[in-house]
Each structure stands twice: as C-alpha cells, then as structure tokens.
Amino acid sequence: MAAAVARDVGCLPTGQQLIGVTYMKVSRRGFIKSTVVAAGAVAAPHVWLPVSSEAWGATLKKGEPIKVGLLFSLTGSLAVPEEDSTLVMQYAIDEINKAGGIAGSPIQPVIVDAKSDFAVYSEKAKELILRDKVIAIFGCYTSASRKAILPTVMANNHLLYYPTCYEGAECTQNTICTGPLANQHSKDLIPFMVQNFGKKVFFVGSNYVWPKESNKNAKVWLQQAGGELLGEEYIPLGSSEFGPVLNKIREAKPSFIFSTVVGASDIAFHKQFKQEGFKVDSMPIASLTTGEIETRAMGNEFGAGHFLSAPYFQALDNPTNKKFVENFLASKYGKNGVTHYNMEETYTSAYVFKYGLEAAAAKLGIENVTPRAIRDNSGGIKVGADVSPEGPIWIDEQNFNCWLVPKIGQCQADGSFKIVKQAAEHVAPDPYSIYPNLGTCTKDGLKAPDGKIRKNVI
C-alpha cells in the first residue's frame, strides 16, 4: 500500500494523526467559533511556479504509485464537513489499493490542509499540480473554494473531482462532479415543503456564490409551486450571529425556512433557532447542507424535525450501504461516528476516478494517461449498486455531472434521517436548468442556441 504524503499541514501542538499527517484537531465547539476569509475573494497564490509540461507534468508508470491530491480543510470553519471528506477518501483509497489498485498501481494521496482559506486553496492547488505532479485533485466543499482553484486547474489542463452539491451555471472541461445540482435537490424540496407546511418562505444563506445562485433556482421552483418569498438574508461565511435574522423571521412568520447556510454558521443557526423559542413543527428549516455530521456537531435535539434534500443518508436500507457504514465506522477513519451525503459523494468519486483511469489506460496505455484523458474517458462511467452506497449512479456523457436519485429526509430524535420522499427514477444533471437561453453544457463547452461553443465557462 502506498504511503500518504503529507504537505503543508503544519506541525501543530495537538498532534492528531491522520495517516501520517499532523494537523490541529478542531473540537465541535471550536469549529463553531472559527472563521474564514471573505467568501467572495479569490486571492492570487502566494508562490509562483512555472508552467511546463515537461518539467512538471504528471506521468504514470505501471506498478508505481498514482499520486492524487486531497485538497480539503482540516482546520477552520469548514473542517467538520471537509475533514470527513479527507478521511473517507483515504478509506476509499485503502479499499481500492487492497483490491489491487488501478492498472496494477497503488494510489498515493498527497494530503493538504486548505485551512478554510480560499487563498490557500488556490496556492496549494498550484503546488499539487506543478510540484507534486498529482494526476488529479479531489477537493473543496464551497463553490468559492472551487472557483478559487479552477483557473489553475484549467490553465494546466488538469482534473478536479468536486464531490458535493453545487449551483450549476458552470461548464468546464476539467471537472467531474459527483454531487447534486439544483435541479436534483431544491427542485423537489421546495414544492414538498410548500405542500406540507405552507406557501410562505424565508430564505437564509451564507454570503457567497453557492447560496445566492441556489436561491435563484429555489425562487423559480417556489413560484411554480405557488409559494411566496417573505424575505432573503445572507450572513458572512463563518459567522455565528443570527439574532437580527431570527428577529426578521419572527416578524415575517413564514411557513418554513429554506436554508443554504453552511459550515460553522449552519450549526449556530440551528442551535439559535431552538434557543430563541422557534418551533420545528410549525416552522421547520429545509436545508441543502444539514446532514448527519452537522447534526452530530450541534446536538441531535437541535436538528430533530428539520429537513434535508440529498441523494444519500446513512439510514438508506440497502446491503451496500449497510456494509459501507459498518466497515467505515469500524475503521480508523470513522472516528467522527457518522456517514453523510458529502462523505458518500466523495467516496463514490474515488471509484469514478478508478474506472475513468482504467478506461483511459486500456485505450492509451498507462504511460500515456493524462488528467484530461481520464476526464475524456469518464463520460458514461457507472458506479454500480454493489459499490455505491446510495445505489447506482453514473457520469453524464456531456456535462460530466452525476445522474442520481434525489431524496428528502427528516431528522429524527437520534440524529438519523427518515426518508420521506424519493424520486421514482434517476434525474439527469442540468447545470443550466433555469438558464435555458444560455445553452447546453457539452463535453466540448457551453453550446449556445446559435451553435457557438464557449469553453471553460465559470
């Protein structure tokens, strides 16, 4: 088994070990207090490295380790969801390596702490590609961090696996996404909540691109469902002060709250909701982000009764998921005690990578595989029900997002989620579902109605 490579994670005093990586252990209380830089900022890297495919390009050789970058936050306000992404990726890599690796080669993760800082994401993405010569990067949780690294990924014709939900309105030729788009979660969640709780809605989100763009989609679904938007508020990413927002909600008296609050703020929001005397049975929160890990961090009593839309829940009743949950939680990676949608989407991305690389190697030979070749051979790749805990999923042959089955769960008193609605069949990913006039995302770029194609639209 190839050893993990730890880079730039710091020599920090608490000394928590993560497969040879020393990093600061962030307590759930400390997590709530931590903050990040302004979400809209995408700063230039602190270091400059020359672009040269001969000097820096990733090369693969049969039997030698295949290096991949794990670019998630292990410290800061994004550590709770992103630490688990790092852990489950290591679990998946171990699993793949024990089964023989990929084309006879083991996977070797290069683990980096992005520190919940968008400038660090950008800097470390460049180093992973140009210095460490990884063949692909798995990383990011927020769209702001994704957009911070995409210019580097595209400039080097590299490959990013983005394993979580996002807003769409993006069409690049260097990404593969395994989480849901807006048409695969809020499109079902909004009418479900209107039908069951009432038409009046209040939107609350973190102040960056994903919540704002997601809410543009949600407004379309709300109008179609005959609902009424009473208010829309955004708070700084990492903020834990919701008093003014909750006062506005109290005055507006919505039927339910639609939340796109993330990270530490999400936990603080749910806790203050209950502490301020709001009742979940008369005004529940419907979220796109509050899963098992957030509920565990805030305390089950603060999550109980609220709703989440996601393709995966730990409670899914199928043999593959039961095996995944049992084996992961029993492993050295399962220390946080739950599985959740973001982890599972990260886990399946490891197998999408495996199958895509195998397809490219079979066609080109392992020595000729490039990051772009893996992407170009991943359209239509399927992760079957014997591997994917959420059930079979596959990568769209044109836009390289995921076909999946949307689900809505309600949090129970023990922190688990009961599935209250599930789509009858797989739903195709549509990055431009509310922007049909802009065109269609194809494997070659965004194809406008007039037939013109624009590459790498972000």
Side-chain angles (χ1 to χ4, degrees):
M1 181 179 68
V5 177
R7 285 217 310 97
D8 303 306
V9 295
C11 297
L12 300 170
T14 53
Q16 179 73 22
Q17 286 296 311
L18 180 66
I19 309 308
V21 180
T22 302
Y23 71 101
M24 181 175 288
K25 174 64 179 176
V26 180
S27 70
R28 291 323 192 226
R29 289 181 181 178
F31 169 79
I32 296 173
K33 296 179 181 178
S34 52
T35 59
V36 294
V37 298
V42 178
H46 302 310
V47 297
W48 178 86
L49 295 170
V51 177
S52 169
S53 60
E54 293 184 3
W56 299 98
T59 56
L60 300 180
K61 294 182 180 179
K62 187 173 179 61
E64 294 188 2
I66 299 167
K67 294 170 71 174
V68 299
L70 307 190
L71 183 55
F72 297 101
S73 289
L74 306 177
T75 55
S77 68
L78 297 174
V80 166
E82 295 200 24
E83 180 196 41
D84 281 340
S85 293
T86 304
L87 290 167
V88 81
M89 268 302 299
Q90 291 178 97
Y91 174 80
I93 288 169
D94 279 2
E95 193 173 69
I96 291 169
N97 286 343
K98 288 175 183 177
I102 301 176
S105 297
I107 307 173
Q108 182 180 43
V110 181
I111 302 168
V112 177
D113 180 7
K115 303 178 182 179
S116 301
D117 184 325
F118 303 124
V120 175
Y121 281 100
S122 178
E123 173 187 343
K124 300 310 178 185
K126 181 171 287 189
E127 291 182 4
L128 285 168
I129 293 171
L130 302 180
R131 180 176 295 165
D132 295 307
K133 302 180 184 180
V134 300
I135 196 69
I137 294 174
F138 296 79
C140 306
Y141 175 70
T142 67
S143 289
S145 55
R146 185 186 74 253
K147 289 182 181 294
I149 74 171
L150 274 178
T152 295
V153 172
M154 295 186 298
N156 291 278
N157 204 17
H158 215 266
L159 179 59
L160 169 66
Y161 287 83
Y162 184 64
T164 192
C165 61
Y166 78 113
E167 69 280 0
E170 190 171 284
C171 185
T172 81
Q173 285 62 69
N174 300 93
T175 55
I176 296 175
C177 302
T178 53
L181 288 160
N183 76 297
Q184 296 170 312
H185 51 22
S186 58
K187 188 174 183 179
D188 284 346
L189 182 59
I190 292 293
F192 172 85
M193 297 300 295
V194 168
Q195 180 180 357
N196 287 278
F197 294 96
K199 298 181 177 181
K200 297 181 178 181
V201 190
F202 201 104
F203 286 3
V204 182
S206 296
N207 191 16
Y208 73 102
V209 61
W210 177 73
K212 291 183 176 181
E213 191 63 35
S214 293
N215 283 345
K216 289 181 183 178
N217 284 268
K219 289 173 187 176
V220 174
W221 319 140
L222 181 62
Q223 183 179 23
Q224 292 178 358
E228 178 185 358
L229 181 60
L230 301 183
E232 183 174 2
E233 293 289 327
Y234 296 93
I235 57 97
L237 188 61
S239 174
S240 60
E241 178 50 60
F242 283 89
V245 172
L246 288 170
N247 286 337
K248 291 180 180 180
I249 291 173
R250 195 185 307 275
E251 293 177 3
K253 299 180 180 179
S255 308
F256 68 94
I257 300 165
F258 179 67
S259 172
T260 48
V261 179
V262 304
S265 302
D266 186 26
I267 294 169
F269 180 44
H270 278 74
K271 294 187 76 169
Q272 291 174 37
F273 173 93
K274 185 176 179 66
Q275 291 165 351
E276 289 293 322
F278 290 91
K279 303 298 183 182
V280 67
D281 55 349
S282 59
M283 191 193 299
I285 300 172
S287 174
L288 303 180
T289 59
T290 313
E292 290 88 347
I293 191 67
E294 289 82 7
T295 301
R296 185 178 177 88
M298 70 178 73
N300 295 342
E301 68 273 23
F302 297 104
H306 297 298
F307 293 85
L308 169 71
S309 178
Y312 172 83
F313 294 91
Q314 182 175 316
L316 286 180
D317 187 11
N318 67 67
T320 299
N321 184 49
K322 289 180 179 179
K323 179 180 177 182
F324 169 67
V325 172
E326 180 179 348
N327 290 349
F328 176 76
L329 295 183
S331 76
K332 58 188 175 183
Y333 306 106
K335 64 188 181 69
N336 289 330
V338 294
T339 63
H340 57 96
Y341 70 93
N342 199 63
M343 287 175 58
E344 191 268 350
E345 291 157 9
T346 306
Y347 176 79
T348 57
S349 73
Y351 282 91
V352 172
F353 168 72
K354 167 181 162 64
Y355 300 151
L357 198 159
E358 287 174 342
K363 183 179 294 185
L364 304 171
I366 189 70
E367 294 82 4
N368 297 314
V369 171
T370 64
R372 180 59 185 270
I374 298 172
R375 186 265 187 187
D376 290 346
N377 283 277
S378 294
I381 288 290
K382 182 176 183 179
V383 183
D386 60 328
V387 173
S388 171
E390 69 182 83
I393 57 96
W394 59 91
I395 301 300
D396 188 86
E397 294 183 2
Q398 291 296 325
N399 61 48
F400 290 82
N401 289 274
C402 216
W403 286 66
L404 47 79
V405 179
K407 304 171 185 71
I408 298 171
Q410 184 177 28
C411 188
Q412 305 298 294
D414 63 356
S416 67
F417 281 77
K418 178 182 178 182
I419 309 301
V420 294
K421 184 176 180 180
Q422 177 170 315
E425 57 187 6
H426 284 76
V427 174
D430 186 357
Y432 291 88
S433 57
I434 67 168
Y435 302 111
N437 293 335
L438 293 180
T440 303
C441 184
T442 73
K443 60 185 178 182
D444 298 316
L446 180 61
K447 186 175 182 180
D450 62 5
K452 293 182 180 179
I453 294 179
R454 297 165 56 206
K455 293 184 178 294
N456 290 328
V457 178
I458 60 173

